[in-house]
Amino acid sequence: MKVSTNVKALPVCESCPVKECFVKECNVEWLIKLGQSKSFVSYKKGDNIIYEGQAVHGMYFIYSGKVKVLTSGYDDKKQTVRLAKSGEILGHMGYSGEFYPIGASALEDSGICFVENELLYNAFMNNPKFTFLLMMYYSRELRKTESRMKGLAQMTVMEKVADALILLNNAFGKTIQNNKLIDVKLERKEIADIAGINPEQAIRALSDFKKQGLIGISRKVIILKQYDRLIDIIRPYYHNIHVFYS
Amino acid sequence: MKVSTNVKALPVCESCPVKECFVKECNVEWLIKLGQSKSFVSYKKGDNIIYEGQAVHGMYFIYSGKVKVLTSGYDDKKQTVRLAKSGEILGHMGYSGEFYPIGASALEDSGICFVENELLYNAFMNNPKFTFLLMMYYSRELRKTESRMKGLAQMTVMEKVADALILLNNAFGKTIQNNKLIDVKLERKEIADIAGINPEQAIRALSDFKKQGLIGISRKVIILKQYDRLIDIIRPYYHNIHVFYS
DNA sequence: CGTGCTTTTGAATAGTATCAAGGCCGGTGG
DNA sequence: CCACCGGCCTTGATACTATTCAAAAGCACG
């Protein structure tokens, strides 16, 4: 799914190939309306899509690519709080005067559609199923985040890394020859930012897992060779693991 | 707001005194419908409202009282992920076969209204503003939880306790003679479960804050004597603190 | 073929969790 | 009314884990 930087190549909603996009729940009239009024921007790997502290004007829908959502601490410590891909959303409707407490940046070249608050509000009022599915999405993300919160508070470093690998696999996993491949190239620090630890610990944990044969690493490519054993490591924290990892 | 255990005293929605309740966004026809079909249960302090692993059948609306939402680890470690009071909601709509990954229990005697999935779905489809506000609520809770996640990953013990106190004040705070009183009686372990630490550390941090004159403690009553200095402790983690604490 | 960044490893340091024991308070029953 | 009991609170010492600092090696880029 190659995205041109040319703005004239703006994808129209009614014939958009992204089937999972929530906008698809709107009726045709509104699909056209949204498609005509939205803006579309191509981001390169590493680009910021949302800056922390930026004013909220509307909502972002990921057309193509992969994105991470993060919040900064006071030095260069960051916490990656969410991973999202094509079909998912970023940001949120906000009352005027609100600002983003989180930032978002592209993990690979990505195309993002943006819809303004007012139009969005009208779309919500006229497409109940659209609103409903978005509500369900937020509700599910909230539960997932609540669960991860417990993990960050209670897990050991090794468990946090196992958890981060599972999370990455759920978000960007790809099955190749019975192995699960994490289909995104991340620095060690970026993995550490997901797990909530520092890069040195991430490295130590990853090489430990590699020694045990649980994973394979070659530079930035990670393969989960024994997915089930990784799950076993964190199972005690997820009594209802089927809820999250289905 | 005293709540009788008598089920016949079921509060009707159209004349319910809880102004903040999301249901109030429905039109009168639906208010009546919901009021007639909902169930109402009184819980005593300490009672479980939602059990972890329980099947999802509908949504809970807090009529009166105070509630904490938590997830368990593998021994008796728990993480309190959310605090809620009158007017807020618990649980979520869920597809059939879903289970609650979190539990909820009453921090004081509480009255809870419960509405079943199917009725709720129909209410959503016919009351766009109701759905919209619920979506906004989840969206806001998600952002708050994402922010807390960072805190649990990066803060020191002292900072975590300061954060927990601020959170408690936001949820259950009461201003009395220019002092902020946390209007709920919690054990030290319960405070520790919010902060994501153990009871001993919570005690050490609290007595330290007391020595510094930031707070006052008498048994289970906590007063924030120097709120601003508590905020200063955690400010580095919240660049846009006005978003969360307004 | 250098230069700069990421990755990796090791050792010292700081912080946190655990364990154990005593004190305090509230409730209960004599 | 008082003494006892049990649970919660508090404190100290210890063991453990994680963080930080420093330095070297590897890789990618020009």
Side-chain angles (χ1 to χ4, degrees):
Chain A
M1 199 186 299
K2 189 85 170 38
V3 175
S4 164
T5 329
N6 192 334
V7 182
K8 284 168 191 159
L10 173 68
V12 287
C13 288
E14 59 274 29
S15 59
C16 175
V18 183
K19 294 196 196 84
E20 311 80 13
C21 183
F22 291 108
V23 169
K24 283 289 172 64
E25 293 299 329
C26 295
N27 59 42
V28 183
E29 174 198 354
W30 276 94
L31 274 181
I32 293 170
K33 230 181 251 190
L34 289 167
Q36 286 173 340
S37 307
K38 79 182 177 186
S39 60
F40 178 85
V41 179
S42 289
Y43 297 90
K44 286 185 183 161
K45 178 176 178 171
D47 284 354
N48 271 329
I49 299 163
I50 300 176
Y51 290 86
E52 292 184 65
Q54 179 183 325
V56 176
H57 289 124
M59 210 179 254
Y60 299 82
F61 298 80
I62 306 176
Y63 173 72
S64 67
K66 298 182 175 108
V67 175
K68 67 174 172 182
V69 177
L70 51 87
T71 74
S72 302
Y74 52 130
D75 37 8
D76 66 340
K77 279 192 180 175
K78 298 187 191 308
Q79 178 65 42
T80 297
V81 296
R82 201 148 53 93
L83 300 167
K85 58 175 181 294
S86 176
E88 298 189 77
I89 55 177
L90 297 175
H92 58 90
M93 284 275 313
Y95 300 105
S96 64
E98 258 192 61
F99 299 88
Y100 290 109
I102 49 88
S105 66
L107 291 171
E108 58 182 41
D109 294 358
S110 302
I112 314 281
C113 300
F114 176 82
V115 181
E116 291 225 330
N117 270 338
E118 202 184 328
L119 181 66
L120 212 46
Y121 182 80
N122 289 326
F124 286 140
M125 290 304 133
N126 289 285
N127 297 277
K129 213 169 176 189
F130 175 45
T131 322
F132 175 75
L133 282 182
L134 223 50
M135 184 200 77
M136 294 292 273
Y137 175 78
Y138 279 129
S139 163
R140 203 148 48 101
E141 285 300 317
L142 177 61
R143 277 172 277 147
K144 278 161 71 175
T145 306
E146 284 173 348
S147 249
R148 283 203 68 208
M149 205 165 111
K150 171 186 59 177
L152 287 175
Q154 300 185 349
M155 287 178 182
T156 64
V157 166
M158 290 291 279
E159 290 164 342
K160 285 180 190 173
V161 173
D163 196 52
L165 290 174
I166 302 290
L167 187 77
L168 278 166
N169 180 67
N170 288 331
F172 306 136
K174 207 174 182 177
T175 301
I176 291 188
Q177 298 167 347
N178 283 342
N179 276 325
K180 291 171 191 289
L181 170 79
I182 292 173
D183 189 27
V184 65
K185 293 216 168 70
L186 297 174
E187 293 182 2
R188 299 294 184 261
K189 180 171 182 346
E190 290 183 288
I191 296 175
D193 286 343
I194 296 171
I197 56 181
N198 54 35
E200 292 93 332
Q201 287 174 314
I203 284 159
R204 281 183 245 266
L206 286 174
S207 23
D208 201 334
F209 283 145
K210 190 180 178 180
K211 252 179 223 160
Q212 292 181 45
L214 299 187
I215 64 173
I217 317 178
S218 139
R219 196 66 182 165
K220 288 188 179 166
V221 178
I222 299 178
I223 294 175
L224 310 187
K225 296 167 87 171
Q226 301 193 43
Y227 180 79
D228 293 343
R229 283 183 59 197
L230 282 172
I231 287 280
D232 285 342
I233 292 173
I234 57 165
R235 191 184 302 281
Y237 297 92
Y238 295 101
H239 297 177
N240 307 290
I241 203 162
H242 54 285
V243 174
F244 295 103
Y245 299 124
S246 57
Chain B
M1 198 186 302
K2 190 85 166 44
V3 175
S4 164
T5 329
N6 191 335
V7 181
K8 285 168 192 158
L10 174 67
V12 285
C13 288
E14 59 275 28
S15 59
C16 174
V18 183
K19 294 195 198 85
E20 310 81 12
C21 183
F22 291 107
V23 170
K24 283 289 171 66
E25 293 299 328
C26 293
N27 60 42
V28 183
E29 174 198 353
W30 277 94
L31 274 181
I32 293 169
K33 230 181 252 190
L34 289 166
Q36 285 172 342
S37 307
K38 78 181 177 185
S39 60
F40 179 85
V41 178
S42 288
Y43 297 90
K44 285 184 184 163
K45 178 176 177 170
D47 285 353
N48 271 330
I49 299 163
I50 300 176
Y51 290 87
E52 291 184 64
Q54 179 183 325
V56 175
H57 288 125
M59 211 180 252
Y60 299 83
F61 298 81
I62 306 175
Y63 173 73
S64 67
K66 295 179 176 114
V67 175
K68 67 174 172 183
V69 177
L70 51 87
T71 74
S72 301
Y74 52 132
D75 37 8
D76 65 339
K77 278 192 179 176
K78 296 185 193 311
Q79 177 66 42
T80 297
V81 295
R82 200 148 52 93
L83 300 167
K85 58 174 182 293
S86 176
E88 297 189 77
I89 55 178
L90 297 176
H92 58 90
M93 285 276 313
Y95 300 106
S96 64
E98 259 193 61
F99 299 89
Y100 289 110
I102 49 87
S105 66
L107 291 171
E108 58 183 44
D109 294 357
S110 301
I112 314 280
C113 300
F114 176 81
V115 181
E116 292 224 329
N117 271 337
E118 202 185 328
L119 181 66
L120 212 45
Y121 182 80
N122 289 326
F124 285 139
M125 289 303 134
N126 288 285
N127 297 276
K129 213 168 175 187
F130 175 44
T131 322
F132 175 75
L133 282 182
L134 224 50
M135 185 200 76
M136 293 292 271
Y137 175 79
Y138 279 128
S139 163
R140 201 147 49 100
E141 286 299 317
L142 177 61
R143 277 172 277 149
K144 276 161 72 174
T145 305
E146 284 174 347
S147 248
R148 282 202 69 210
M149 206 166 111
K150 171 187 58 178
L152 287 175
Q154 301 187 351
M155 287 179 181
T156 65
V157 166
M158 291 292 280
E159 291 165 342
K160 284 180 189 171
V161 173
D163 196 52
L165 290 173
I166 302 289
L167 187 78
L168 279 165
N169 181 67
N170 288 330
F172 306 137
K174 207 175 181 177
T175 301
I176 291 189
Q177 297 167 348
N178 283 341
N179 276 326
K180 291 170 190 293
L181 170 79
I182 292 174
D183 190 26
V184 65
K185 294 217 166 71
L186 297 174
E187 292 182 1
R188 298 293 185 262
K189 180 172 182 346
E190 290 183 286
I191 296 175
D193 286 343
I194 296 172
I197 55 181
N198 55 32
E200 293 93 331
Q201 287 175 314
I203 285 159
R204 281 183 245 266
L206 287 173
S207 21
D208 200 333
F209 283 145
K210 189 179 179 180
K211 251 179 223 159
Q212 292 182 45
L214 299 188
I215 64 173
I217 316 177
S218 138
R219 197 69 181 164
K220 289 188 179 167
V221 179
I222 299 178
I223 294 175
L224 309 187
K225 297 167 85 171
Q226 301 193 44
Y227 180 79
D228 292 342
R229 283 183 60 195
L230 282 173
I231 287 280
D232 284 342
I233 292 173
I234 57 166
R235 190 183 303 281
Y237 297 91
Y238 296 101
H239 297 177
N240 308 289
I241 203 161
H242 54 285
V243 174
F244 296 102
Y245 300 124
S246 57

